[in-house]
């Protein structure tokens, strides 16, 4: 790789970091967040839940096993920018289709390396989530600080309809009685795969699809997907989910879907200090007493005090790091959700049982052996 040009990173609090440009040239901004995972960077970059965010990867070397077309969770990179200590052009995996640098340039993603990411992550943990700008073309920090004011705040931002599919599509065996209607707010491909692998036939619908169109599919169950943005800025989704819950069919929500299920049950959500992102978060299943190591990516959470006061809601999972709510279910109803990602790509497989529980709920209700 030829000598890299200079790049600047400017934070909302006025801090400026100098590093080296990597990937595409340009200027990009969004909410600063960090991921603690050591592997799976391509899956992380393509996760729609990261839309609108500039990502710090904690591992010292990112890109050292290249990229591969199969290692994606959507059809394009969804992060707005990338920050790392060392971004690698050379890679060692024989199966890789190319380098990280080529991949970022292809997807027009601006990145910066050579940044002290340990210091940067410490700042985010102490200061909380904040906006930032990366630029390889504007090297005047004062100009970038002025432009940073144009970056929208994630609090109150509706992004799910931006990343959602524009047209419905189907996956799986059309003859299967396990028919699942998926409300797509930014679903990951492996979530759909986890349902199809268990014999389900799924139809994925755009975010603003009314219940009448969902019912036309004759679903035996409903899935509320993950996605980006503030759930409180999605009243259209909350109203639809309330109607879905009135159908009394098995309903499962993940991440943003967990937050929307809570809102549909009159439980508020809130913006977290700096969120949970990575593949090593311990969660306790209160129903079984077992601990799971989970993959997570969320900057909003369900109000713990409101959940504990809600007589019709049972808390099923809690985070062992900070006691935040990681799972709920509606008492006496086949409706449940988790804040983390049981499809876990990348990450551990401890929580895949939740898909078994969802499919088994549908089998029981439909009388399928």
């Amino acid at each position: 790789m030829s000598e890299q040009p200079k790049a600047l990173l400017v934070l909302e609090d006025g801090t400026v970091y100098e590093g080296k440009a990597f990937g595409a040239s340009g200027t990009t901004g969004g909410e600063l967040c960090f991921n603690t995972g050591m592997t799976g960077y391509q899956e992380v970059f393509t996760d729609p839940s990261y839309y609108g965010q500039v990502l710090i990867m904690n591992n010292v070397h990112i890109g050292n096993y290249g990229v591969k077309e199969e290692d994606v969770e959507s059809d394009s990179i969804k992060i707005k920018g990338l920050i790392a200590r060392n971004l690698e052009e050379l890679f060692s995996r024989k199966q890789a289709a190319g380098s990280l640098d080529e991949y970022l340039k292809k997807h027009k993603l601006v990145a910066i390396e050579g940044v002290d990411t340990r210091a940067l992550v410490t700042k985010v943990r102490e200061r909380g989530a904040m906006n930032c700008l990366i630029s390889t073309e504007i090297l005047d920090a004062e100009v970038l600080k002025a432009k940073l004011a144009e970056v929208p705040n994630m609090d109150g931002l509706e992004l799910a309809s931006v990343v959602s599919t524009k047209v419905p599509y189907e996956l799986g065996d059309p003859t299967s009685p396990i028919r699942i209607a998926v409300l797509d707010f930014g679903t990951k491909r492996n979530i759909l795969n986890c349902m199809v692998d268990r014999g389900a036939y799924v139809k994925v619908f755009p975010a603003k699809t009314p219940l009448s169109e969902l019912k036309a599919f004759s679903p035996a169950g409903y899935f509320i997907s993950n996605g980006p943005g503030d759930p409180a800025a999605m009243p259209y989704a909350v109203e639809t989910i309330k109607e879905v819950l009135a159908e009394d069919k098995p309903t499962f929500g993940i991440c943003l879907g967990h937050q929307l299920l809570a809102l549909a049950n009159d439980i508020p959500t809130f913006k977290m200090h700096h969120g949970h992102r990575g593949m090593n978060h311990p969660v306790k299943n209160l129903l079984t007493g077992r601990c799971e190591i989970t993959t997570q990516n969320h900057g909003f959470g369900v109000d713990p005090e409101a959940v504990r006061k809600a007589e019709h809601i049972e808390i099923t999972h809690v985070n062992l790091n900070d006691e935040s709510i990681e799972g709920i279910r509606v008492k006496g109803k086949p409706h449940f959700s988790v804040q983390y990602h049981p499809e876990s790509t990348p990450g551990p497989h401890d929580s895949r049982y939740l898909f078994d529980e969802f499919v088994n709920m549908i089998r029981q209700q439909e009388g399928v052996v």
Side-chain angles (χ1 to χ4, degrees):
M1 191 172 185
S2 59
E3 187 175 347
Q4 295 162 264
K6 183 174 151 182
L8 287 185
L9 167 65
V10 175
L11 308 189
E12 191 177 322
D13 68 355
T15 308
V16 179
Y17 292 84
E18 184 178 316
K20 296 177 181 178
F22 193 90
S25 298
T27 301
T28 189
E31 183 183 73
L32 186 64
C33 67
F34 63 88
N35 184 289
T36 59
M38 295 179 68
T39 60
Y41 49 79
Q42 197 175 351
E43 292 93 334
V44 172
F45 300 164
T46 56
D47 179 351
S49 296
Y50 277 107
Y51 186 82
Q53 294 177 312
V54 174
L55 179 64
I56 311 163
M57 290 300 290
N58 282 33
N59 198 35
V60 176
H61 296 278
I62 298 296
N64 53 334
Y65 58 82
V67 298
K68 189 178 172 185
E69 285 305 314
E70 293 87 348
D71 292 348
V72 295
E73 288 293 342
S74 66
D75 58 1
S76 65
I77 288 180
K78 293 299 189 291
I79 59 174
K80 286 292 186 181
L82 175 63
I83 304 164
R85 179 68 184 89
N86 297 294
L87 291 168
E88 307 295 345
E89 183 185 26
L90 298 177
F91 57 92
S92 58
R93 183 170 53 160
K94 291 182 179 180
Q95 300 94 329
S99 73
L100 178 61
D101 187 53
E102 294 168 340
Y103 185 68
L104 298 187
K105 285 175 178 173
K106 175 184 174 182
H107 289 274
K108 298 179 174 57
L109 189 83
V110 178
I112 182 172
E113 68 164 327
V115 173
D116 184 348
T117 50
R118 292 204 301 178
L120 186 55
V121 167
T122 298
K123 179 179 283 290
V124 174
R125 286 179 60 87
E126 292 174 353
R127 164 71 165 73
M130 67 184 104
N131 287 342
C132 71
L133 278 180
I134 302 172
S135 185
T136 66
E137 58 186 359
I138 302 171
L139 300 180
D140 185 327
E142 296 307 313
V143 173
L144 289 176
K145 288 176 184 179
K147 286 183 67 68
L148 185 52
E150 301 170 13
V151 178
N153 195 302
M154 191 66 72
D155 200 355
L157 201 57
E158 195 281 315
L159 295 173
S161 61
V162 178
V163 299
S164 176
T165 184
K166 300 300 181 278
V167 293
Y169 62 93
E170 300 166 13
L171 296 168
D173 179 6
T175 66
S176 172
I178 306 166
R179 300 170 67 89
I180 300 172
V182 176
L183 267 170
D184 178 19
F185 301 119
T187 191
K188 293 171 67 177
R189 287 182 178 175
N190 204 49
I191 288 177
L192 305 178
N193 293 339
C194 284
M195 291 187 279
V196 170
D197 290 347
R198 287 160 175 75
Y201 178 49
V202 304
K203 186 168 184 178
V204 184
F205 293 89
K208 295 186 177 181
T209 302
L211 179 65
S212 58
E213 289 185 32
L214 301 177
K215 289 179 66 175
F217 176 60
S218 300
Y222 293 91
F223 177 76
I224 313 167
S225 89
N226 62 295
D230 186 346
M234 299 172 63
Y236 68 91
V238 175
E239 289 307 310
T240 301
I241 292 165
K242 285 182 177 180
E243 295 173 351
V244 164
L245 298 180
E247 295 289 295
D248 251 3
K249 293 181 182 291
T251 303
F252 180 26
I254 288 177
C255 202
L256 179 63
H258 165 75
Q259 298 155 12
L260 291 170
L261 180 69
L263 287 168
N265 281 280
D266 301 318
I267 295 168
T269 56
F270 69 99
K271 183 80 168 68
M272 300 177 73
H273 182 262
H274 59 267
H276 295 157
R277 295 176 181 89
M279 58 181 74
N280 52 0
H281 291 258
V283 166
K284 184 175 182 179
N285 183 326
L286 300 180
L287 305 179
T288 66
R290 299 184 66 181
C291 179
E292 306 162 25
I293 300 303
T294 68
T295 295
Q296 305 210 5
N297 172 24
H298 60 102
F300 292 83
V302 172
D303 186 322
E305 186 176 346
V307 174
R308 293 186 173 95
K309 288 180 178 178
E311 294 182 359
H312 66 299
I313 297 293
E314 181 178 11
I315 299 171
T316 58
H317 299 76
V318 294
N319 189 298
L320 292 178
N321 286 334
D322 62 6
E323 298 295 318
S324 58
I325 305 302
E326 294 280 3
I328 60 173
R329 67 179 180 183
V330 183
K331 294 178 181 178
K333 302 286 185 180
H335 310 148
F336 71 108
S337 62
V338 290
Q339 180 64 81
Y340 55 95
H341 283 266
E343 79 287 350
S344 52
T345 302
H349 294 180
D350 297 26
S351 309
R352 294 275 177 97
Y353 69 89
L354 291 163
F355 291 103
D356 296 324
E357 291 184 359
F358 181 42
V359 169
N360 287 338
M361 278 183 181
I362 295 173
R363 287 184 179 277
Q364 291 170 10
Q365 192 168 87
E366 295 297 304
V368 178
V369 178

